[in-house]
Amino acid sequence: MSLLTSVYFKDTFDKVFGTSVKSMARRNDLETSHEAARDASKKAPNHRLIALQALSDYGPMTDYELADKTGLQQNSIGKRRKDCQDVGLVDFYSPNGEKERRQTPSGSSAYVWQITNQGREFLEAIK
């Protein structure tokens, strides 16, 4: 692994698995909100890896399908998938040049996501 690659993966690892997650609780929120925010920041790194691994194992999926495969809630897995997207590990699934959408359980449509080559390399690098 080159120095550039190892620096990239270290930076990506820190972003994906780092514990410095912006607090979702506001200063004047109840203590229970602050407890929930602390709990979420502890679980987020593992949930990011779960989302990434599921996309690697099962192929392109919507957030709803990711939730079904992982057992996590759709809104939670969607946030963790977005974290992976923000650092280039996940992207829209566009087999024909257009972002694919699939029907959700409610009848609306949702984007389909796929792991990127960087995401595959990242998973390989952390094994």
Side-chain angles (χ1 to χ4, degrees), residues 77-102:
I77 199 72
K79 290 175 185 175
R80 304 298 70 92
R81 186 263 318 139
K82 170 87 167 76
D83 294 341
C84 292
Q85 180 188 8
D86 289 345
V87 295
L89 304 178
V90 170
D91 202 1
F92 293 101
Y93 178 60
S94 306
N96 301 319
E98 293 185 27
K99 298 172 185 173
E100 185 172 305
R101 296 175 73 89
R102 293 184 188 154

Side-chain angles (χ1 to χ4, degrees), residues 102-121:
R102 293 184 188 154
Q103 190 169 359
T104 67
S106 68
S108 62
S109 65
Y111 285 114
V112 178
W113 304 97
Q114 67 180 353
I115 188 170
T116 63
N117 288 336
Q118 289 177 326
R120 284 186 192 83
E121 291 172 9

Side-chain angles (χ1 to χ4, degrees), residues 52-90:
L52 194 60
Q53 190 65 56
L55 287 168
S56 177
D57 291 347
Y58 300 108
M61 292 185 278
T62 67
D63 288 344
Y64 290 91
E65 293 164 336
L66 266 171
D68 185 53
K69 290 288 187 191
T70 63
L72 298 172
Q73 292 180 1
Q74 182 271 329
N75 63 339
S76 176
I77 199 72
K79 290 175 185 175
R80 304 298 70 92
R81 186 263 318 139
K82 170 87 167 76
D83 294 341
C84 292
Q85 180 188 8
D86 289 345
V87 295
L89 304 178
V90 170

Side-chain angles (χ1 to χ4, degrees), residues 1 10 13 18 42 83 97:
M1 183 182 302
K10 181 188 181 326
F13 186 89
K42 291 176 188 172
D83 294 341

